Amino acid sequence: MLWRTGEILRQTPAGRAVELPSERTLYRWLDKLTRNTHPFSSATTRRSRAHGASGEFGELPVFAPGEVMQIDSTPLDVLVLLDNGVVGKVELTAMIDVATRSLTAAVLRPTTKSVDASVLLARTVTPEPMRPGWVDALKMSRSVLPHRRLLT
């Protein structure tokens, strides 16, 4: 492939002016481009690799608080007395802000459902004093922030 690339470059006037890097550098670049893609193997191998996992877990670059949030549930190995008077185990569902590494919300339930994630998200994006049920003096309409402009 590298030899053929050089031949194609030498066929054009602009390509003759290009100086190819050393063979070792070209092989290093080719290795970076084709790592874990198996471009020269059989079609069966490429198809089976394409359906697998994309690779190791990575890190997302985070620049501001609230930009990337992580949510997870874990069963706790404790027995508690539930609301209905039965003893049972509970699961902790928590949301963490990746930028600040702070716990933004958590829910402790007997079983975790997808609605728990929705509750966590709502608790995270709604400041405590602005939630329904609080006195009128603490509502968003009484805030010094430009409430009407924020609504539009």
Side-chain angles (χ1 to χ4, degrees), residues 36-75:
N36 294 328
T37 59
H38 303 282
F40 305 114
S41 60
S42 68
T44 308
T45 302
R46 289 194 307 271
R47 280 193 298 268
S48 65
R49 297 287 295 174
H51 295 298
S54 60
E56 303 85 22
F57 292 106
E59 290 186 18
L60 291 172
V62 181
F63 301 106
E67 185 178 2
V68 177
M69 308 291 263
Q70 291 182 344
I71 188 169
D72 194 18
S73 295
T74 183

Side-chain angles (χ1 to χ4, degrees), residues 58-72 94-105 121 124-125:
E59 290 186 18
L60 291 172
V62 181
F63 301 106
E67 185 178 2
V68 177
M69 308 291 263
Q70 291 182 344
I71 188 169
D72 194 18
M95 182 179 282
I96 296 174
D97 181 10
V98 175
T100 61
R101 304 279 197 261
S102 61
L103 183 69
T104 59
L121 184 59
T124 300
V125 298

Side-chain angles (χ1 to χ4, degrees), residues 57-127:
F57 292 106
E59 290 186 18
L60 291 172
V62 181
F63 301 106
E67 185 178 2
V68 177
M69 308 291 263
Q70 291 182 344
I71 188 169
D72 194 18
S73 295
T74 183
L76 298 180
D77 196 21
V78 295
L79 292 175
V80 297
L81 186 60
L82 301 174
D83 291 338
N84 58 4
V86 177
V87 175
K89 291 190 174 192
V90 292
E91 287 187 13
L92 177 67
T93 303
M95 182 179 282
I96 296 174
D97 181 10
V98 175
T100 61
R101 304 279 197 261
S102 61
L103 183 69
T104 59
V107 175
L108 191 64
R109 303 258 183 212
T111 57
T112 304
K113 299 175 185 157
S114 61
V115 72
D116 291 334
S118 301
V119 169
L120 277 176
L121 184 59
R123 283 186 182 174
T124 300
V125 298
T126 308

Side-chain angles (χ1 to χ4, degrees), residues 126-145:
T126 308
E128 281 286 336
M130 309 309 176
R131 291 189 187 155
W134 285 75
V135 295
D136 287 338
L138 295 176
K139 288 193 176 174
M140 188 65 146
S141 58
R142 301 284 302 267
S143 173
V144 294
L145 296 172

